[in-house]
Amino acid sequence: MLYLFYKLFDINIFQYITVRAGISFFIGFILTLYLMPRYISWAKRKKANQPIYKNAPKTHQLKSTTPTMGGLVFIASTLVASILTIKFNNFYALGAIMTIVLFAMIGIKDDLSKIRGGNNEDGLTSKTKLLLQILVSLLIGAYLYIGGFLTELYIPFYKYPLFNMGLFAIAFWTLVFVSTSNAVNLTDGLDGLATVPSIFSIMSLSVFVYVMGHAILSDYLLVPNIKGLGEVAIVATALVGSLIGFLWHNCHPAEIFMGDSGSLSLGGFIAYMAIVTKNELLLLLVGFVFVMETVSVILQVGSYKARKKRVFKMAPIHHHFELKGWAENKIIVRFWIMALISNLLALITLKIR
């Protein structure tokens, strides 16, 4: 809408992505800060509380009265902020919004099932959730492919594509979507643990988005120039602003949890940003904390099935440190530090090619 002001009334400042990105950030932030206390009060009255996994550390049972589905608020704020600031005809920005909405819908269905059943195990079955994630990922992948998006595979530190994946790109992107959305979902186990690493990841990938959408900067830094891609940065800043507003209430001790409606959409959007910036492999570094959490689960399950022995006291790994006696705040902040460092390292790859 702000871009229409530029077109209709010749308000020149609104043509710039950086200006509209800044405005979208503050709209998302302020809107979330305004709506979240009202949602928390409503959720408490409706007893929309977070069902706690029965095998979680005993300290987590104290959180059984904490409302969930806070993701609904920051997703709604993001959508409003984005709609007010993006170009409506931008292929990549519309794809970003589609990604957020579709993954959020899976999470909403899962959260509602858990709340109604009053049990963490009453949500979608793992097979159903996985199937829905695959279907949504295939849809978004097909959208990019049919729209003519690049299907070459790039790796960090190398300015040329390795090869063209062709139609197989859709399958590869589906793998990225499913793995990333599940990784963020696994990480969302402590107060603010998934929120801040998500903010870092989105901010880092926003730099890549802006650079690759800029003809001069992309040429200077030897990365592909993708016309119109910079508009995705506006959606990204809207989400970052909304997440910071959410963190105000989600920091320890949390007044609200994001639920799957938030974590799945966050993971899906981070995957989308990695795909459109050709950073699918760099995502291992950008989302290091999410990768670490996922790998800990894979190692735990694999080891128990193969040797009947556990590698960790409990997985995901943040529970391992809880059972070792670490304070929840210490685990959270240390994971935030790891996320910050890994994203700073990821940004360095932008220059080294």
Side-chain angles (χ1 to χ4, degrees), residues 258-269:
M258 68 171 67
D260 283 16
S261 52
S263 59
L264 290 180
S265 57
L266 280 179
F269 182 67

Side-chain angles (χ1 to χ4, degrees), residues 206-220:
S206 294
V207 174
F208 284 91
V209 161
Y210 183 74
V211 167
M212 294 175 72
H214 196 289
I216 297 174
L217 290 177
S218 60
D219 181 64
Y220 172 69

Side-chain angles (χ1 to χ4, degrees), residues 229-296:
L229 184 61
E231 206 73 14
V232 176
I234 298 172
V235 182
T237 53
L239 182 52
V240 168
S242 299
L243 281 172
I244 293 175
F246 171 69
L247 184 63
W248 186 268
H249 300 280
N250 181 236
C251 60
H252 184 72
E255 302 169 56
I256 184 77
F257 296 136
M258 68 171 67
D260 283 16
S261 52
S263 59
L264 290 180
S265 57
L266 280 179
F269 182 67
I270 291 170
Y272 179 82
M273 292 188 75
I275 289 167
V276 296
T277 58
K278 311 307 298 178
N279 280 318
E280 298 96 339
L281 299 182
L282 187 64
L283 189 55
L284 295 171
L285 186 57
V286 170
F288 174 75
V289 167
F290 307 132
V291 173
M292 179 176 66
E293 294 273 35
T294 305
V295 170
S296 71

Side-chain angles (χ1 to χ4, degrees), residues 6 32 64 73 98 167 177 187 212 228 274 280 299 331 337 339-340:
Y6 157 66
T32 303
S64 60
V73 178
M98 179 173 67
L167 189 59
F177 275 120
T187 306
M212 294 175 72
E280 298 96 339
L299 289 175
I331 299 169
I337 291 170
L340 174 61

Side-chain angles (χ1 to χ4, degrees), residues 34-212:
Y34 174 77
L35 293 175
M36 193 61 74
R38 289 155 180 79
Y39 173 79
I40 292 172
S41 297
W42 176 85
K44 285 182 176 179
R45 289 197 303 272
K46 297 295 182 179
K47 296 184 179 180
N49 300 330
Q50 173 70 52
I52 304 300
Y53 178 53
K54 64 181 181 180
N55 293 324
K58 293 181 180 179
T59 54
H60 284 237
Q61 300 307 319
L62 299 174
K63 303 180 180 184
S64 60
T65 57
T66 304
T68 189
M69 291 184 73
L72 280 177
V73 178
F74 69 71
I75 292 302
S77 299
T78 299
L79 295 177
V80 171
S82 298
I83 290 169
L84 289 174
T85 49
I86 63 169
K87 293 181 183 178
F88 294 129
N89 64 343
N90 184 272
F91 174 78
Y92 298 105
L94 292 177
I97 289 175
M98 179 173 67
T99 300
I100 292 172
V101 170
L102 291 177
F103 275 98
M105 288 174 66
I106 300 173
I108 290 169
K109 173 63 177 172
D110 193 35
D111 285 336
L112 288 176
S113 299
K114 291 176 183 176
I115 292 170
R116 288 166 181 166
N119 193 306
N120 194 268
E121 296 178 358
D122 288 326
L124 296 174
T125 64
S126 56
K127 289 183 179 179
T128 301
K129 185 188 289 188
L130 180 62
L131 178 61
L132 290 173
Q133 288 174 299
I134 291 173
L135 289 174
V136 166
S137 302
L138 286 171
L139 180 61
I140 302 166
Y143 171 83
L144 291 172
Y145 183 83
I146 295 170
F149 182 64
L150 301 176
T151 54
E152 290 87 0
L153 179 66
Y154 284 80
I155 61 172
F157 307 114
Y158 191 59
K159 60 185 177 182
Y160 300 111
L162 292 185
F163 56 87
N164 193 323
M165 296 182 286
L167 189 59
F168 289 103
I170 297 178
F172 178 59
W173 296 337
T174 297
L175 175 63
V176 175
F177 275 120
V178 172
S179 57
T180 308
S181 58
N182 281 317
V184 176
N185 186 234
L186 284 172
T187 306
D188 183 33
L190 298 178
D191 301 347
L193 184 61
T195 307
V196 173
S198 294
I199 291 172
F200 290 153
S201 297
I202 294 168
M203 289 175 67
S204 295
L205 290 169
S206 294
V207 174
F208 284 91
V209 161
Y210 183 74
V211 167
M212 294 175 72

Side-chain angles (χ1 to χ4, degrees), residues 222-233:
L222 305 175
V223 294
N225 175 232
I226 304 174
K227 187 177 180 180
L229 184 61
E231 206 73 14
V232 176

